[in-house]
Amino acid sequence: MLDPSVRLGTSTPKADPSGDYAWQLFGRAEKLRPGAQAALQAKALQLTGGPDSPPPPRDRNVYGDLVATRKADVFLTYCTNALLARRDFPALVSVEIPPELAVGADYGLTVMSDAPAPAWRLAWFILSADGQAILAKHGFGPPR
């Protein structure tokens, strides 16, 4: 990503959480290579998630489209987005971020105690083996 010739796509920080995570990754890179954070922030092309971002294509994944149409050589995005991008653009390659750079989100599941039965059924399904298999298929890890 530090190679000056590589066009690095990100979402827009402060407008899209994915952009905030990219900036956190840049901060982790700084600890491994001084100067990396400023270099990555300066070269990052904020192509999605912001108020001035072009609308995504209707018929294909925006992240895959941006790489396939050469608006970016690499795009930092969620694993789930990478899976969808590869579905629409099979020639793309998805690379897992090394643990020392990886930034992740923890998602919660809350059901109000007086919620109707369908809400509880959904929550129990999400936590079931079948629900977890579906989430894993889309790039989500198991609950902690």
Side-chain angles (χ1 to χ4, degrees), residues 68-137:
T69 59
R70 308 247 183 232
K71 291 181 180 68
D73 300 310
V74 173
F75 203 102
L76 286 175
T77 189
Y78 301 113
C79 295
T80 50
N81 288 335
L83 288 170
L84 295 171
R86 291 193 63 222
R87 180 195 65 196
D88 290 350
F89 300 91
L92 295 180
V93 175
S94 176
V95 177
E96 190 170 334
I97 299 293
E100 61 272 14
L101 293 175
V103 177
D106 291 324
Y107 297 95
L109 172 65
T110 303
V111 181
M112 301 294 291
S113 59
D114 60 349
W120 283 100
R121 283 195 300 273
L122 174 62
W124 286 117
F125 176 76
I126 289 169
L127 296 171
S128 74
D130 288 342
Q132 289 300 299
I134 292 168
L135 289 172
K137 181 177 146 187

Side-chain angles (χ1 to χ4, degrees), residues 50-54:
D52 298 325
S53 298

Side-chain angles (χ1 to χ4, degrees), residues 2-3 26-40 101:
L2 285 167
D3 183 328
F26 299 162
R28 289 185 178 199
E30 179 69 22
K31 293 176 184 169
L32 299 173
R33 187 175 295 179
Q37 183 173 12
L40 292 167
L101 293 175

